[in-house]
Amino acid sequence: MQRLLSIPLLILVILALCRHCPADDRPNIEQLTFFETKIRPVLVEHCYECHAAGAKILQGGLRVDDRGGLLNGGDSGPAVVPKQPDQSLLLAALRYEEFEMPPKGKLPDSVLKDFEAWIAMGAPDPRLAVADTPNRTIDLDEGRKHWAFQPVTNPQAPAVRDENWLLDPLDQFIMARLEAAGLKPVADADLYTWLRRVSLDLTGLPPTPSEIEAFIQDDSPQAFEAVVDRLLNSRAFGERWARHWLDLTGYADMMGTSNNVFAEHAWRYRDYLIDAFHHDKPFDQFVREQIAGDLLPATSPEERAENIVATGFLMVGDVEIVEPDKTKMEADHIDTQVSKIGTALLGMTLACVRCHDHKFDPITTADYYGIAGMLRSSPSTHKIPFGVWSSLNTTDLPETPEQLAARQKLEAECEEKLAEMKTERDRLEVERKSIAEELAQLDQAPKSATDATANEATPTSSDTAPSAEEVTEAQARKEALTNRRDELAGQIRELGSAILHAEFFSSKVPRAYAMRDGDYPADMPIHIRGNPYAPGPVVPRGAIRVASWEGFPEIPAGQSGRLQLADWLADRRNPLTARVAVNRIWQKLFGEGLVRSVDYFGTRGESPSHPELLDHLATRFMRNGWSQKQLIRAIVLSRTYRLTSANDAAAMKVDPENRLFWRMNRQRLDAEAIRDSLLAASGEIQSSDGGPALVYEEVGNWAGRAQQGVNPPSYTHRTPRAGEEFVRTIYLPVMRTNTATHDRLRSFFDFVNPAQIAGQRAQTVVPTQALFVMNNELFRARAKALTDRLLAETPQVDARLEQLWLRVFSRPITDTERSVATTFLVELDSALTEANENASESLKWQELCHSLLASNEFIFRL
């Protein structure tokens, strides 16, 4: 407890203070003594911990350790209104009327009466104001001096001494920095390494033996360009780069982390991304569609549907749909949407600005709630009539005449199936009723001859007593009927669940989780400390002012403002959008971005290693129609991208982290590339056109079959899709709380938690990864398939080894490796005791294949 003044000293202080007060406002000795004896000790003991100078967190912005703090109050307004106890929030909190203070327990009524009397007498308080840290004010002009908020420029490529090394203007920026540091780049990678590198980077798949041979045999000047163009034009490119973007969205095929409710329509957004990257949708259009696609014009039903699906960007994240407090759920979901826009598109952290101005960057709560107001004006969730449950909003997608006809055919087939099941259920019900009646009659008959004799003592009808044989037959009949009755009950129960399930999925109308403007768009109040129940001043809808070049455009009446926000994000004058986008592309190709903190361009983030190159790439990006493929093509055809990943001792001393890009960074393949490369090497990979990741119409996948009680249908992934084992990993279901069937690799190799977003995955090296590649059936089955293929197609051992190395490492086998592999096969052959020679041959080659698939050279991209 804070030490109190002694009474004599207290009187001197009081007298000194009173000399400076107007006569009418001067508290008398009795009033000040009342404060010091009745009020101040309570404040010190129960309030100072959270509401005084030195508190770890100043709760509610309220200070009670000086008179000014009480009169000015905190986030909710003045705490004390002198002479008006009923208007004083402090007294209301002590009474537990609005807030409940102190939170550990209500104070005695006698203390409450003291506070009421003290406020009524004018809240006399002799305490001097305690020095406080001045509030941080945000100077936008000063904030714009940070490199990330300055306009994108188009710097001239610097002159370099070694011009022969250059293949692209971007190489000049790299070489200039190397020459300034007294460094030289390492040599170019060999053709095999470059081909495997570019194939994995662009498609997530290694080159096939035929593709390797075609490139090695092509000695034309356009050989590199031909490879890059082939890779960029493949659907595999869209599948690979769509997965990168999904890491920034919190995508999963389940709604939230605390339930098993499936996200029925999430897959449409995944397929939209694959098509967008495959067809090189201009990035500015890509941004506009994801923020406000539902508000954009369209020239066809297909384009309209695509625009609607695109807004899934703001929908597919983790949503706590079982949150009973719907106001809190709305505020939390809006927070994830604002954070997603900030991180994915602007490279800024905005989540903290929900509660207070940014501690380091020139971004205010008004900026946050300016964006949040647009999202609040576009409600994305709704309450459903199942207990406390909510769900994401869906929108019916427009259909072409052909799509409509196909859908109506499916619905008719579903209705026919439903009718058949109901007819069968009715038939079984009739049979069960008949059996129940017969069993009732048997229950009334005597159970034995003894029973019949005993019944003769009682006058009854003239019926003849049953014989022992008849009784035995009756008992056997009853047992058979009972078994059939129980069998029917199970069949009827299963049919009932199947009917409920079929009715639940009877509609085949194509739908998507999508944004749409609400009925009453409006500006939003700031939530004090992020609390939706503590509204502050209303702020106009808008964007981040420090990154704006003029006032935010006026939002037409009845609109949310998302369209204007989308235009602001995709505007060439925006200093962040293009820089963030090209930096992400660079990071995917080199392992590290020019700005290493790829998700954060703020003042506490990394500065760009090559700021002029970053702006050069951003300018090229925008001038070339925001084409991601054109930018990627230029980068992978540059000399910088061709460098080997080998170390150089001199360069390591000067630049051990390779920030100047004097060599290529080695990268461990991510989970998707590892699994897809395994399937490609074994020859088992199958193409896919997308579609639902979960077999949600399979009854066996439903724990509750259909809605029961206050809970919606509960999905359990027991049955994978047919052929799922061999499709690319992007098409496998993403679960929020556990793995599904064929995706366990993700949990071992740094897959982004779908409840989070991250532009750059971690690259850990832990023992469980080695144990997984050695023991998991994924690797063993691929080794077996690869072995079967090699044995069937290549009878000669030397040729088989050559094929094996091409399939796994994308390069020829060396003489040393050939010798080691041959010795390994011979030694393993002598260790095998199987009588079957064919089985022995298969087993030893499986072990060799598995060893290669589990090696670092296969799991890393050099």
Side-chain angles (χ1 to χ4, degrees):
M1 181 183 293
Q2 181 173 318
R3 185 177 179 182
L4 304 181
L5 296 174
S6 63
I7 294 298
L9 181 58
L10 168 65
I11 293 174
L12 292 176
V13 171
I14 291 172
L15 291 175
L17 290 170
C18 290
R19 292 194 193 101
H20 301 284
C21 298
D24 294 341
D25 295 334
R26 291 177 185 173
N28 56 44
I29 297 298
E30 291 79 7
Q31 290 175 331
L32 294 174
T33 301
F34 183 88
F35 170 80
E36 290 293 343
T37 57
K38 299 289 187 179
I39 304 302
R40 188 179 183 196
V42 176
L43 295 175
V44 172
E45 180 177 357
H46 296 286
C47 306
Y48 274 25
E49 182 180 356
C50 300
H51 298 284
K56 292 182 179 179
I57 299 177
L58 189 66
Q59 298 291 344
L62 174 64
R63 291 274 298 274
V64 301
D65 53 343
D66 66 76
R67 178 176 172 81
L70 285 169
L71 297 180
N72 294 328
D75 298 334
S76 300
V80 170
V81 180
K83 298 184 181 181
Q84 298 185 46
D86 292 340
Q87 301 298 318
S88 299
L89 291 177
L90 175 63
L91 186 57
L94 295 175
R95 290 171 173 169
Y96 276 35
E97 292 176 351
E98 295 187 23
F99 308 101
E100 296 183 356
M101 295 294 165
K104 295 180 180 179
K106 188 177 180 181
L107 298 177
D109 290 342
S110 59
V111 174
L112 303 186
K113 290 180 180 179
D114 288 340
F115 272 83
E116 182 178 356
W118 172 66
I119 295 172
M121 66 178 68
D125 183 352
R127 296 174 299 169
L128 297 173
V130 181
D132 193 8
T133 302
N135 291 331
R136 174 176 177 264
T137 58
I138 291 181
D139 186 334
L140 295 181
D141 291 333
E142 186 66 25
R144 290 190 178 102
K145 294 180 181 179
H146 179 60
W147 69 267
F149 302 125
Q150 295 177 16
V152 175
T153 62
N154 185 26
Q156 184 177 357
V160 297
R161 292 190 293 274
D162 188 2
E163 294 184 352
N164 293 329
W165 185 82
L166 309 175
L167 290 176
D168 186 274
L170 72 87
D171 292 324
Q172 293 179 245
F173 294 92
I174 297 294
M175 179 57 85
R177 289 293 307 278
L178 290 173
E179 290 180 345
L183 299 178
K184 292 183 178 180
V186 297
D188 289 358
D190 64 76
L191 297 181
Y192 294 100
T193 299
W194 179 87
L195 180 61
R196 183 172 189 265
R197 175 191 300 169
V198 74
S199 298
L200 288 169
D201 284 352
L202 267 55
T203 68
L205 298 171
T208 65
S210 61
E211 290 168 348
I212 296 172
E213 182 180 5
F215 176 61
I216 298 301
Q217 296 297 325
D218 187 354
D219 57 0
S220 69
Q222 292 77 34
F224 289 89
E225 288 88 340
V227 168
V228 173
D229 290 340
R230 171 178 58 80
L231 296 172
L232 288 174
N233 290 330
S234 68
R235 180 174 169 83
F237 171 81
E239 293 167 333
R240 175 63 175 166
W241 284 74
R243 182 59 254 182
H244 293 327
W245 189 261
L246 285 174
D247 284 0
L248 294 166
T249 67
Y251 174 88
D253 293 288
M254 307 298 284
M255 286 278 191
T257 54
S258 60
N259 53 80
N260 288 322
V261 177
F262 75 123
E264 181 183 358
H265 311 293
W267 63 270
R268 294 189 187 277
Y269 177 69
R270 179 206 65 202
D271 285 358
Y272 160 83
L273 290 179
I274 294 172
D275 289 339
F277 281 95
H278 178 35
H279 297 295
D280 197 22
K281 185 183 290 292
F283 189 76
D284 58 342
Q285 182 67 13
F286 180 67
V287 170
R288 286 188 175 93
E289 289 177 4
Q290 293 189 95
I291 302 300
D294 58 308
L295 305 175
L296 295 175
T299 58
S300 67
E302 294 94 335
E303 184 182 3
R304 174 67 177 154
E306 186 177 333
N307 290 348
I308 292 171
V309 171
T311 63
F313 171 71
L314 296 171
M315 303 287 286
V316 297
D318 188 19
V319 186
E320 283 302 325
I321 58 174
V322 293
E323 170 61 63
D325 187 338
K326 299 308 175 185
T327 300
K328 178 179 180 298
M329 187 192 76
E330 178 193 56
D332 289 347
H333 190 214
I334 289 173
D335 186 61
T336 64
Q337 293 173 323
V338 175
S339 299
K340 196 183 300 186
I341 292 171
T343 299
L345 300 175
L346 300 172
M348 300 301 299
T349 56
L350 298 182
C352 58
V353 196
R354 172 181 177 178
C355 299
H356 52 72
D357 289 348
H358 205 291
K359 295 297 185 183
F360 310 113
D361 297 326
I363 303 174
T364 68
T365 53
D367 294 333
Y368 175 97
Y369 286 96
I371 298 175
M374 304 177 198
L375 301 170
R376 193 189 192 197
S377 297
S378 310
S380 50
T381 60
H382 64 277
K383 176 76 173 63
I384 60 178
F386 303 151
V388 300
W389 296 85
S390 296
S391 186
L392 293 173
N393 290 345
T394 61
T395 298
D396 291 353
L397 299 177
E399 301 170 274
T400 63
E402 294 77 15
Q403 291 170 334
L404 175 60
R407 191 248 300 175
Q408 290 173 338
K409 180 181 178 182
L410 286 175
E411 290 178 339
E413 292 173 353
C414 182
E415 287 298 323
E416 183 178 352
K417 182 180 178 181
L418 263 173
E420 291 175 356
M421 288 191 294
K422 290 178 179 180
T423 299
E424 177 65 9
R425 182 184 61 181
D426 293 342
R427 185 188 68 78
L428 295 177
E429 287 283 9
V430 171
E431 183 181 354
R432 183 172 68 170
K433 183 178 179 181
S434 175
I435 289 174
E437 292 173 351
E438 186 173 351
L439 283 172
Q441 292 176 359
L442 289 173
D443 284 339
Q444 294 175 0
K447 298 180 178 59
S448 67
T450 303
D451 294 337
T453 304
N455 289 338
E456 291 177 358
T458 303
T460 59
S461 63
S462 58
D463 292 344
T464 303
S467 66
E469 182 179 355
E470 290 173 332
V471 170
T472 301
E473 291 178 358
Q475 289 175 342
R477 174 63 176 166
K478 182 176 180 181
E479 183 177 353
L481 289 173
T482 301
N483 290 338
R484 177 56 178 163
R485 179 197 63 190
D486 294 343
E487 181 184 358
L488 286 171
Q491 292 176 350
I492 291 171
R493 184 168 55 252
E494 288 296 324
L495 265 177
S497 296
I499 289 170
L500 283 174
H501 184 80
E503 288 176 339
F504 186 81
F505 289 106
S506 60
S507 174
K508 306 298 179 183
V509 175
R511 295 187 178 93
Y513 297 126
M515 299 290 287
R516 59 175 177 266
D517 280 2
D519 295 330
Y520 306 103
D523 295 337
M524 183 176 180
I526 290 175
H527 290 168
I528 304 301
R529 303 288 173 183
N531 182 358
Y533 292 103
V538 174
V539 297
R541 285 163 284 168
I544 299 175
R545 288 170 293 170
V546 73
S548 298
W549 47 94
E550 59 187 21
F552 195 76
E554 182 179 351
I555 300 172
Q559 293 187 17
S560 63
R562 282 187 294 115
L563 184 59
Q564 289 72 31
L565 176 64
D567 288 338
W568 178 83
L569 288 166
D571 196 296
R572 292 190 180 188
R573 292 171 291 181
N574 190 307
L576 294 168
T577 306
R579 282 184 175 129
V580 170
V582 301
N583 189 63
R584 292 195 189 284
I585 290 173
W586 186 276
Q587 182 268 318
K588 297 305 178 190
L589 297 173
F590 287 93
E592 295 288 353
L594 296 170
V595 181
R596 290 203 166 193
S597 53
V598 294
D599 292 332
Y600 179 52
F601 278 27
T603 57
R604 292 299 180 97
E606 296 266 3
S607 297
S609 59
H610 299 71
E612 294 83 7
L613 174 57
L614 182 66
D615 274 18
H616 165 77
L617 294 175
T619 301
R620 282 176 70 171
F621 184 46
M622 292 186 286
R623 286 185 175 179
N624 290 332
W626 298 78
S627 168
Q628 295 187 82
K629 283 190 176 183
Q630 285 194 48
L631 180 64
I632 292 170
R633 186 181 192 276
I635 293 175
V636 299
L637 289 173
S638 69
R639 195 60 173 267
T640 305
Y641 185 81
R642 286 192 190 181
L643 298 177
T644 180
S645 60
N647 279 329
D648 177 83
M652 281 291 290
K653 291 181 180 179
V654 177
D655 181 24
E657 294 184 359
N658 192 31
R659 289 180 175 264
L660 300 182
F661 298 100
W662 49 267
R663 64 167 171 84
M664 172 58 73
N665 290 313
R666 304 180 188 93
Q667 297 185 60
R668 210 269 325 280
L669 299 183
D670 58 28
E672 291 85 350
I674 292 174
R675 181 179 173 276
D676 295 349
S677 294
L678 283 169
L679 292 170
S682 67
E684 296 173 286
I685 196 165
Q686 296 178 2
S687 61
S688 173
D689 294 327
L694 297 174
V695 189
Y696 50 77
E697 293 194 38
E698 288 288 337
V699 177
N701 280 334
W702 293 87
R705 300 293 196 274
Q707 190 265 324
Q708 293 182 349
V710 297
N711 295 321
S714 179
Y715 182 90
T716 303
H717 193 62
R718 299 190 183 101
T719 306
R721 301 191 321 276
E724 180 183 278
E725 182 180 2
F726 306 112
V727 299
R728 295 200 64 173
T729 312
I730 191 172
Y731 297 113
L732 297 184
V734 178
M735 316 300 280
R736 292 199 182 277
T737 54
N738 51 57
T739 56
T741 49
H742 299 293
D743 68 336
R744 291 194 63 219
L745 182 76
R746 288 172 174 161
S747 60
F748 289 87
F749 286 92
D750 306 309
F751 184 68
V752 174
N753 186 323
Q756 303 169 348
I757 60 175
Q760 184 171 9
R761 295 188 188 181
Q763 289 195 15
T764 61
V765 179
V766 294
T768 51
Q769 294 168 346
L771 292 172
F772 183 89
V773 300
M774 288 190 295
N775 300 303
N776 187 264
E777 182 62 20
L778 171 67
F779 280 80
R780 302 197 69 84
R782 304 293 78 76
K784 173 67 167 58
L786 178 55
T787 295
D788 292 345
R789 183 164 189 157
L790 290 171
L791 294 178
E793 296 179 354
T794 316
Q796 299 298 324
V797 172
D798 282 349
R800 193 180 297 163
L801 288 172
E802 194 75 39
Q803 277 294 305
L804 176 58
W805 253 251
L806 285 175
R807 288 187 176 278
V808 177
F809 296 146
S810 305
R811 63 170 175 81
I813 187 172
T814 66
D815 292 340
T816 300
E817 289 169 335
R818 189 186 303 275
S819 175
V820 171
T822 302
T823 301
F824 174 84
L825 291 170
V826 171
E827 292 178 350
L828 191 59
D829 187 52
S830 63
L832 295 172
T833 59
E834 283 79 7
N836 189 316
E837 183 177 346
N838 291 333
S840 175
E841 183 78 356
S842 176
L843 285 173
K844 67 183 183 182
W845 279 92
Q846 283 182 54
E847 291 302 316
L848 179 59
C849 290
H850 192 181
S851 298
L852 268 60
L853 293 174
S855 67
N856 276 347
E857 185 173 350
F858 179 75
I859 293 176
F860 276 76
R861 185 281 260 161
L862 303 179

